[in-house]
Amino acid sequence: MRIFGFPVKIRAGFGVFMLLIIAINGVPMGPWLAGSVAVFTLVHELGHAVAARRTGAQASIALDFLAGYAAFVPTRHLHRWERAGISIAGPATQILLGLAILLALGVNPLDHDQFAAEYSTFAIWWAGPVIGLFNLIPVLPLDGGNIAAEGLDFFAPGRGREIMARISVPLTGAAFIYMLVSDDLRPLAAFAGVLLVFQLQMYPGTQPRRSGRNTVRAGSHSASTGSTNVSESEMALAAENAAWTTGQPGPQVGDYVPSPWWRAFARSIGGDDGAGAAIIEDLRNESLSRAPWIPPVAASSEYLQTVLDRLPRPLPQPTPRTSMLSAMALLDVLRRCGYHDEAIRYGTALYNAQPSIEPAVEIARNLAVTRHPDLALQWLRIAQRSAVDIEQLRFLIDHCPELRSLRTRPEFLALSQNQVPPTTMPSSTERET
């Protein structure tokens, strides 16, 4: 549906959450509380979306189990105060509307006897002002944590969100333990526990990382975790991962921009059938001055599937000037979503245009999954001959779960030890086959 021009998607998990609230609280309190939580969650996300639109960003809303989120794609660089304003707009709208409704009903929101006198007013008081204030607690991924991160970023540019991620875990952990030992607060311990799980997933160092020898390339830019740019690339990784785990990209880091996969996903959840065009445009962009971005390593296969379903076919053929970052990100997504035949075809075309280790290994991974072990081993030999750094190949083949089925074969063991004797390079036709 669309509300005030914003695409709104209500997932099945949101309905399950409402039923869970009713089951826990019983009748008549359960239906009143579930209805109030549903309405105020939507109002909260509309607050974020309206504030984002005021900055020129494109916004959409999704409601899911335990949470809702407003995803937005900026059309320009946002200042810290603008990002903080988007974060505070959600809970502020929720709190003010809740107070306005209670006052309109003649209920003093500060008088317990008044707002607790009826199931309806108690549900409004809880779902409006109380949950709104809860969201302002300064820990991630709550809005208060995002606001605090922007403030810290002023004093430690580029590190605000990382600092908040490190602070949030011990604060929430201490609150969780305190709630468990407190009779009055014990019912709220479950909420702190769920929050703690989200924080541990966001904690610096728990996100997928690349080998120091596995350089991510974007035109003339590079970001290797073994170089002096490690802090900037890791902060950009945290910002991209935040987009997929919280619905909002982290602060912009240097020249890095949100990945085209995130931009396409944000448009797709808003019902834009042409969202996949962002991926095609990126694949066709052969400029050496293009802005760098981080691949969607934290995205679920379900989210990526949403984008792939909107990806125009046929895919543009790789050229010697195609960005290896863009092409390899596409190959990774195709494999993770089970598009193995398409990944093999595109990977072969990419290798023919730019012979290198990365597409050769990707082809081998897809061939191994589709039960073509001999062809997979052949492509690993091609990768070996293409490798500038044999340690990079060794790292890749040792950490690819798709290649486990090959590890008992003598040819693979010899390959992993760099003992394969020289053989004739397969022809272009054989590689395509």
Side-chain angles (χ1 to χ4, degrees), residues 231-253:
S231 59
E232 183 174 285
S233 64
E234 287 191 340
M235 285 188 291
L237 173 63
E240 176 72 17
N241 289 349
W244 295 103
T245 55
T246 69
Q248 296 184 8
Q252 184 171 331
V253 180

Side-chain angles (χ1 to χ4, degrees), residues 9-70:
K9 177 171 287 189
I10 302 177
R11 303 185 186 278
F14 191 70
V16 173
F17 183 39
M18 297 302 104
L19 291 175
L20 185 61
I21 291 176
I22 295 173
I24 293 175
N25 293 276
V27 177
M29 183 60 193
W32 276 111
L33 187 57
S36 298
V37 168
V39 170
F40 278 102
T41 300
L42 178 59
V43 167
H44 179 113
E45 303 309 330
L46 283 171
H48 288 311
V50 170
R53 185 160 64 184
R54 291 296 297 267
T55 68
Q58 299 175 344
S60 58
I61 296 170
L63 305 180
D64 209 336
F65 186 71
L66 289 177
Y69 62 87

